[in-house]
Amino acid sequence: MKLYSDFRSDTVTQPTEEMRRALMEAEVGDDVLGDDPTVQKLEDLAASLMGKEAGLYVPSGTMGNSIAVKMWTRELEEVIVEEKSHIYNMESTHMTFISRVTPRPLPSERGALAPEIIRKNVRLPSVHTPRTSLICLENTHNNWGGAVLPLETFVETRKIADEFGLKVHLDGARIFNASQASGVPVKDYAKYCDSVMFCLSKGLSSPVGSMLVSDRQTIDYARRFRKALGGGMRQAGILAACGIISLTKMVARLKEDHLRAKRLAQAIYDLPGITLKPVDVQTNIIVLYFNHPKLTIPEFLDKLKENGILALSVFGGIRLVTHKDVDDEDVGRAIKAFKAILTV
Ligand code: TLP
């Protein structure tokens, strides 16, 4: 048996054998000079899957989101974000650090901002207040336990954006998980957004990389920001070859991850100390709340580790993520560990 069953994140997934072979054979060139055919193939594929004109390969989701915010905003402006969103909480404050704009975090129903809340918080420019210029959505929503945003949220957000002349950016790090769970094609989410970032290096198992997609002119502009941020990569086709496999071979299997997360949630939700509604586990992320008379969260995580299970503490809760490198046996091991620790 392996030393640890790693439920910390789907970012821990190893590249597949097919990816390792593809990167050996990838045709490459200097991508900063526009010479890498494999990167170009990946960018075209990403754009066409999302129904957009163009795509940009970026080293990380954080860089993709940073570029999007930078493109759609100017100083003295404000960005509407959901209060638990990754872009606001977990990307080292790039909105203020890089774009010099302020985030306006708003409460939501499991990640889905209500139209009346957005509308009430759009600010028109005045001598005192920033002008709202951008709304960011996140689907699936990481800190809401992989929640899938209803399509209605996109429709309503777009309406408000059009009414006030705002842009909409989607942090779709796990947009394919959302689509697999809801049956809504990724294009149908993307069509309400001016730009979409999605990750190849999470459940889709690429070693590195994310995509930013939008219209052609915007992506040409984004390419300049990527360079300015140090994200221009030379023979990146080595990595992009894996991304192509992520998008062509790894999407449908995300459903297996969702089934495993549901099985795990169903088996542990009523153990002492745990607050979790199995129905809220829609995709591959479980966020449970932990309040135990004898164990703190760090103590519990240590005990899990002693039992071979790795999990993370997030937002006052504990997060377990399923992915291709945790199978049914790992899930069984986690269930056993939870029961052994919590029912003594
Ligand atoms: N999320 C990571 C950590 O940062 C927490 C994870 O393990 O889940 N948007 C969302 C919704 C994300 O979950 C992440 C990464 C990103 C953006 C940033 O992607 P990277 O890590 O590639 O910069």
Side-chain angles (χ1 to χ4, degrees):
M1 194 196 283
K2 53 184 150 181
L3 188 54
Y4 293 113
S5 299
D6 194 346
F7 291 89
R8 287 173 303 168
S9 182
D10 44 12
T11 58
V12 305
T13 43
Q14 295 280 317
T16 62
E17 283 304 315
E18 194 180 354
M19 288 177 182
R20 289 173 191 270
R21 277 197 302 275
L23 69 83
M24 291 274 290
E25 287 156 17
E27 203 186 324
V28 298
D30 187 331
D31 184 53
V32 175
L33 300 180
D35 287 350
D36 193 304
T38 311
V39 172
Q40 283 162 15
K41 192 171 165 196
L42 172 64
E43 292 181 340
D44 290 348
L45 176 62
S48 87
L49 286 172
M50 291 289 159
K52 299 288 184 200
E53 281 174 13
L56 182 72
Y57 186 44
V58 287
S60 67
T62 302
M63 189 182 284
N65 282 339
S66 309
I67 292 172
V69 173
K70 183 69 195 152
M71 285 190 314
W72 298 132
T73 62
R74 288 164 55 194
E75 287 171 16
L76 312 183
E77 292 182 343
E78 184 170 70
V79 180
I80 289 183
V81 292
E82 195 278 335
E83 65 185 358
K84 285 189 178 187
S85 61
H86 196 279
I87 203 165
Y88 171 53
N89 293 285
M90 298 165 100
E91 296 180 15
S92 306
T93 71
H94 63 69
M95 281 193 195
T96 44
F97 172 57
I98 297 172
S99 300
R100 295 161 60 108
V101 291
T102 42
R104 186 167 180 84
L106 303 179
S108 75
E109 181 63 37
R110 291 185 47 74
L113 291 166
E116 56 281 10
I117 292 189
I118 300 181
R119 188 180 295 279
K120 220 166 57 188
N121 284 282
V122 171
R123 297 210 271 187
L124 304 171
S126 91
V127 73
H128 298 293
T129 56
R131 167 185 177 265
T132 307
S133 51
L134 175 66
I135 306 170
C136 292
L137 301 176
E138 181 177 323
N139 195 22
T140 64
H141 198 298
N142 188 344
N143 288 319
W144 279 103
V148 179
L149 262 54
L151 193 56
E152 196 55 21
T153 300
F154 287 80
V155 176
E156 293 300 325
T157 302
R158 182 76 259 166
K159 274 191 207 154
I160 298 169
D162 289 345
E163 191 179 323
F164 292 98
L166 317 179
K167 299 292 182 188
V168 178
H169 171 67
L170 172 62
D171 174 348
R174 297 184 181 81
I175 187 70
F176 287 98
N177 293 82
S179 170
Q180 287 294 311
S182 64
V184 174
V186 288
K187 267 187 193 166
D188 289 6
Y189 293 120
K191 77 175 178 210
Y192 298 103
C193 306
D194 297 285
S195 56
V196 180
M197 184 286 292
F198 65 92
C199 295
L200 303 166
S201 62
K202 300 201 162 49
L204 299 179
S205 306
S206 271
V208 178
S210 293
M211 305 305 304
L212 183 64
V213 297
S214 188
D215 63 87
R216 168 98 34 213
Q217 200 185 353
T218 299
I219 290 300
D220 288 346
Y221 191 35
R223 201 172 288 281
R224 293 176 58 199
F225 280 121
R226 184 186 67 175
K227 186 68 174 72
L229 293 173
M233 298 178 285
R234 302 294 176 174
Q235 286 70 33
I238 293 271
L239 299 168
C242 301
I244 292 169
I245 293 171
S246 287
L247 294 179
T248 52
K249 304 278 177 72
M250 303 301 286
V251 171
R253 62 151 308 288
L254 293 173
K255 278 191 174 153
E256 297 169 25
D257 302 341
H258 301 175
L259 286 174
R260 291 203 172 96
K262 283 191 180 72
R263 178 179 158 222
L264 178 54
Q266 197 61 48
I268 61 172
Y269 79 97
D270 56 355
L271 291 172
I274 288 184
T275 306
L276 169 68
K277 281 200 224 145
V279 299
D280 287 346
V281 179
Q282 293 176 280
T283 57
N284 67 328
I285 302 180
I286 300 173
V287 172
L288 58 89
Y289 291 92
F290 189 75
N291 185 9
H292 194 272
K294 296 205 185 111
L295 287 172
T296 63
I297 289 180
E299 285 166 347
F300 180 52
L301 290 177
D302 282 349
K303 285 205 175 293
L304 281 175
K305 190 169 176 183
E306 283 164 25
N307 284 267
I309 304 301
L310 301 181
L312 277 185
S313 148
V314 288
F315 260 88
I318 291 174
R319 188 180 79 156
L320 294 134
V321 183
T322 52
H323 51 79
K324 97 167 178 1
D325 295 330
V326 285
D327 60 15
D328 287 336
E329 203 179 313
D330 295 295
V331 170
R333 191 182 186 195
I335 294 169
K336 211 168 134 199
F338 267 76
K339 288 189 175 163
I341 300 165
L342 296 176
T343 51
V344 280

